[in-house]
Amino acid sequence: MSRTAEYQLKKGVVEDPTLIAHFFDTHFFYPYKDSKGASRLPVLALYAIYKVLMKELRRFEGKQLKALEPHSAADSQTGSIGDIEILNADGSPFEAVEVKHQIVITKAIVDSSKQKIRGSRVDRYYILTTSHQHEPSTEVQEEVDNVKKLLGTQMIVNGVVPTIKYYLRLLTNPASVIPEYVSLLESDRAIGFEHRDIWNQIATGNIL
């Protein structure tokens, strides 16, 4: 953590995208006594960012952020193509994000996503992982390139935290993401008391 970030934390002002990303990273990987629900945290963080991002980027003019499906709901049951979906005005998918927690992205995962988006005409599709090994292998990148050729969809494989850092830097006020995240932690049924308590300790500097 940089000295600037530490100063902001002590003063109770969180504006540095790097510090906010550090908060999220710490929250995702905290050794919870009950790990159930922890895989939902990266989804909520990205969803909170999209709620702010869509108000600022021209790319999302006229688009709608679809409500999150329950954590336990399978995509095959809901018809969703990802954990997070941005829709066109007619309700068709425009952009989607599939989030994996501590899982290395493989060709099989890309193939599975390719089947989900076949026929959807989605413009951009992210497969993001919290695994520290998030750079696509040669085999995975070749399959990603094939998706573009076959379906016309830009598929991006990357890490959750690097993506969060990038998005936060695009925002006029990165700190505006935090209350959105807190609201999701409070309302999402997959999130338990421990997850909320640890976030509060992280945000107040009791856990660094």
Side-chain angles (χ1 to χ4, degrees):
M1 188 183 301
S2 69
R3 290 184 179 180
T4 301
E6 289 180 351
Y7 175 79
Q8 287 187 17
L9 186 56
K10 290 177 182 177
K11 293 295 183 181
V13 179
V14 183
E15 298 175 344
D16 184 355
T18 301
L19 177 58
I20 298 172
H22 172 74
F23 281 3
F24 285 133
D25 190 43
T26 303
H27 201 212
F28 301 159
F29 287 100
Y30 187 84
Y32 297 101
K33 294 177 183 178
D34 183 3
S35 60
K36 185 179 179 181
S39 61
R40 182 69 159 180
L41 299 175
V43 176
L44 298 185
L46 286 162
Y47 193 82
I49 290 172
Y50 266 104
K51 290 187 76 172
V52 179
L53 192 72
M54 288 182 63
K55 299 174 184 177
E56 298 193 16
L57 292 193
R58 183 174 298 177
R59 169 175 169 78
F60 298 115
E61 286 183 4
K63 311 302 180 186
Q64 177 185 356
L65 184 60
K66 183 181 177 182
L68 287 171
E69 299 288 352
H71 184 47
S72 58
D75 290 343
S76 58
Q77 295 174 325
T78 64
S80 297
I81 62 172
D83 294 301
I84 299 171
E85 290 185 48
I86 294 86
L87 308 178
N88 292 304
D90 62 2
S92 61
F94 171 71
E95 182 168 309
V97 184
E98 181 75 12
V99 182
K100 303 296 183 183
H101 189 40
Q102 301 191 58
I103 296 174
V104 177
I105 305 304
T106 63
K107 181 177 180 292
I109 291 175
V110 175
D111 285 340
S112 176
S113 294
K114 181 173 67 176
Q115 296 308 314
K116 289 181 186 179
I117 64 177
R118 189 181 294 275
S120 68
R121 292 189 174 182
V122 62
D123 182 69
R124 188 176 294 172
Y125 193 92
Y126 291 89
I127 306 177
L128 305 179
T129 179
T130 57
S131 171
H132 295 298
Q133 186 180 334
H134 57 260
E135 293 291 337
S137 66
T138 300
E139 181 183 50
V140 166
Q141 189 57 53
E142 287 176 352
E143 188 61 20
V144 165
D145 293 340
N146 285 335
V147 170
K148 178 65 175 178
K149 293 175 183 177
L150 292 172
L151 306 180
T153 298
Q154 181 185 12
M155 183 175 281
I156 298 169
V157 174
N158 201 354
V160 167
V161 175
T163 300
I164 285 176
K165 288 180 180 178
Y166 172 74
Y167 279 159
L168 289 173
R169 292 189 181 106
L170 295 178
L171 298 177
T172 303
N173 177 21
S176 60
V177 167
I178 294 178
E180 297 287 357
Y181 185 57
V182 171
S183 178
L184 291 168
L185 291 178
E186 291 174 348
S187 62
D188 196 276
R189 293 183 178 182
I191 302 305
F193 171 80
E194 186 183 13
H195 301 112
R196 293 189 289 269
D197 179 58
I198 294 304
W199 173 258
N200 289 335
Q201 293 189 55
I202 292 169
T204 55
N206 293 322
I207 296 176
L208 299 176

